[in-house]
Amino acid sequence: MEPIEVIFYIEGLSNDRKALESAMGQTAESLKAEKDVEIRDIYVDEIVEDPDNDLLPYSGMIEARIRGPFEVLVDLAIRYAPAAVDLVSTDSIEIPAKHLTKILGGVSYLMGQLMEKFGPLAAYPKLDELPEPQVGYSREEIESLIIDERMLLYRFVVEVYGEDENRVEADLKKALVYEGCRINKFAIQQQGENEETNRKRFLVAAELISDVETAFQLTGKYAPVAISVVEPEIVDLNPSEIQGVLSDLAGFAHELVTRPLKAMAIEKANTSFKLMR
């Protein structure tokens, strides 16, 4: 697999200039020490002060030009949570299904750690009005989707919680379709129950069909306990898809790690509102 070249824009925010300078310097050094990638250029911007921002007046940006394998860049996009990613390379890449399964497993692990610390990502509008999804496709339909529309067939196992099995099943099916998936198979089984809250834990196994970006998005949002790419044997990613995957995963990670800062800003705004009243 040919290496890919990207530019990461890593944002720093703080209420302490020296602390931010130190953190950005440490981040730059950490990037330089990364194995399996070439840091072709790295620039740490000057700290900028916004006098109108009482909460986090200091900000800075690291611009890092990185060249390396797709799977390593996926890992870095989650661990460093850049505010933006630009793809420099213009070539497509081919990934064997088994290798793609391994990459998705790594995404699930890293995103699972972040969600355990900062909370879940998957959120949907009211699903009641959506039609009942189709479950099950013919072999001819699946082959057409894979060959003509460049989709993947993959197996996806996730833990979900709720009070009623039928409701959980109906909502999750609609959520998967809302994300852009087709459902070929779906099974749900209760695994346990919290007696205090009456919330039950379910294990859901689904065989899904979607494009590669949706497969990465779904893995990033749900952190499945298991995922396996079934078909095709070789998955082709064009530059647009590579850009989309890296940007999506970086965006998910950035959303999670900046939640404490957003919570502080909301709390401060609410406090100011109460004082003004």
Side-chain angles (χ1 to χ4, degrees), residues 69-78 103 107 216 245-246 249:
F70 174 71
E71 63 267 28
V72 180
L73 296 178
V74 164
D75 178 87
L76 296 183
I78 297 173
I103 295 172
V107 170
F216 272 97
V245 167
L246 294 175
L249 295 177

Side-chain angles (χ1 to χ4, degrees), residues 3-98:
I4 298 167
E5 190 165 328
V6 298
I7 300 174
F8 279 8
Y9 299 91
I10 303 171
E11 182 182 36
L13 298 169
S14 180
N15 58 2
D16 186 303
R17 177 187 286 271
K18 289 186 177 180
L20 181 58
E21 288 176 345
S22 175
M24 292 183 67
Q26 290 174 9
T27 300
E29 290 303 314
S30 179
L31 268 172
K32 292 176 184 177
E34 288 289 347
K35 298 179 180 179
D36 302 320
V37 292
E38 176 189 357
I39 306 300
R40 309 200 77 173
D41 189 26
I42 189 164
Y43 175 72
V44 181
D45 203 357
E46 294 291 331
I47 303 298
V48 176
E49 181 178 2
D50 180 3
D52 296 326
N53 188 333
D54 295 332
L55 183 65
L56 300 166
Y58 301 105
S59 64
M61 186 73 71
I62 297 172
E63 182 178 328
R65 194 179 184 104
I66 308 169
R67 181 177 174 83
F70 174 71
E71 63 267 28
V72 180
L73 296 178
V74 164
D75 178 87
L76 296 183
I78 297 173
R79 289 199 289 113
Y80 286 91
V85 178
D86 280 344
L87 179 67
V88 179
S89 303
T90 58
D91 295 329
S92 297
I93 59 173
E94 292 184 344
I95 306 176
K98 288 184 178 180

Side-chain angles (χ1 to χ4, degrees), residues 2-274:
E2 289 296 319
I4 298 167
E5 190 165 328
V6 298
I7 300 174
F8 279 8
Y9 299 91
I10 303 171
E11 182 182 36
L13 298 169
S14 180
N15 58 2
D16 186 303
R17 177 187 286 271
K18 289 186 177 180
L20 181 58
E21 288 176 345
S22 175
M24 292 183 67
Q26 290 174 9
T27 300
E29 290 303 314
S30 179
L31 268 172
K32 292 176 184 177
E34 288 289 347
K35 298 179 180 179
D36 302 320
V37 292
E38 176 189 357
I39 306 300
R40 309 200 77 173
D41 189 26
I42 189 164
Y43 175 72
V44 181
D45 203 357
E46 294 291 331
I47 303 298
V48 176
E49 181 178 2
D50 180 3
D52 296 326
N53 188 333
D54 295 332
L55 183 65
L56 300 166
Y58 301 105
S59 64
M61 186 73 71
I62 297 172
E63 182 178 328
R65 194 179 184 104
I66 308 169
R67 181 177 174 83
F70 174 71
E71 63 267 28
V72 180
L73 296 178
V74 164
D75 178 87
L76 296 183
I78 297 173
R79 289 199 289 113
Y80 286 91
V85 178
D86 280 344
L87 179 67
V88 179
S89 303
T90 58
D91 295 329
S92 297
I93 59 173
E94 292 184 344
I95 306 176
K98 288 184 178 180
H99 191 46
L100 182 56
T101 294
K102 183 178 178 181
I103 295 172
L104 289 167
V107 170
S108 177
Y109 174 74
L110 290 174
M111 291 302 300
Q113 287 186 316
L114 288 178
M115 285 187 279
E116 187 174 331
K117 185 175 182 180
F118 298 110
L121 267 175
Y124 301 99
K126 194 172 182 180
L127 298 170
D128 292 342
E129 298 178 0
L130 296 179
E132 186 70 21
Q134 175 182 342
V135 177
Y137 290 82
S138 69
R139 183 60 202 169
E140 291 75 16
E141 288 174 317
I142 293 173
E143 288 181 353
S144 176
L145 289 168
I146 292 172
I147 296 171
D148 299 333
E149 300 189 35
R150 302 178 63 252
M151 291 195 173
L152 309 180
L153 176 68
Y154 53 100
R155 295 179 181 133
F156 184 88
V157 181
V158 64
E159 285 185 339
V160 293
Y161 297 84
E163 297 178 2
D164 178 75
E165 180 174 327
N166 292 331
R167 181 69 181 187
V168 169
E169 178 175 349
D171 284 349
L172 186 55
K173 284 179 179 177
K174 291 180 180 180
L176 291 171
V177 172
Y178 182 85
E179 290 283 358
C181 297
R182 291 173 170 86
I183 305 171
N184 190 44
K185 298 177 182 178
F186 190 98
I188 183 170
Q189 185 176 48
Q190 184 177 334
Q191 297 292 302
E193 181 176 358
N194 187 318
E195 295 182 358
E196 294 182 0
T197 63
N198 291 324
R199 283 174 59 82
K200 300 170 183 176
R201 180 169 63 91
F202 300 96
L203 197 64
V204 174
E207 191 170 79
L208 306 174
I209 309 163
S210 77
D211 60 52
V212 68
E213 284 188 66
T214 299
F216 272 97
Q217 290 171 355
L218 209 61
T219 303
K221 288 182 179 181
Y222 281 89
V225 296
I227 186 167
S228 175
V229 179
V230 180
E231 294 183 69
E233 292 185 1
I234 301 294
V235 180
D236 173 76
L237 278 77
N238 62 38
S240 176
E241 290 166 334
I242 296 169
Q243 171 76 64
V245 167
L246 294 175
S247 295
D248 288 340
L249 295 177
F252 291 163
H254 190 264
E255 153 69 18
L256 290 173
V257 300
T258 57
R259 276 184 182 175
L261 298 179
K262 294 175 182 177
M264 289 170 58
I266 292 172
E267 182 180 356
K268 184 176 178 64
N270 289 340
T271 301
S272 299
F273 176 72
K274 290 176 182 177

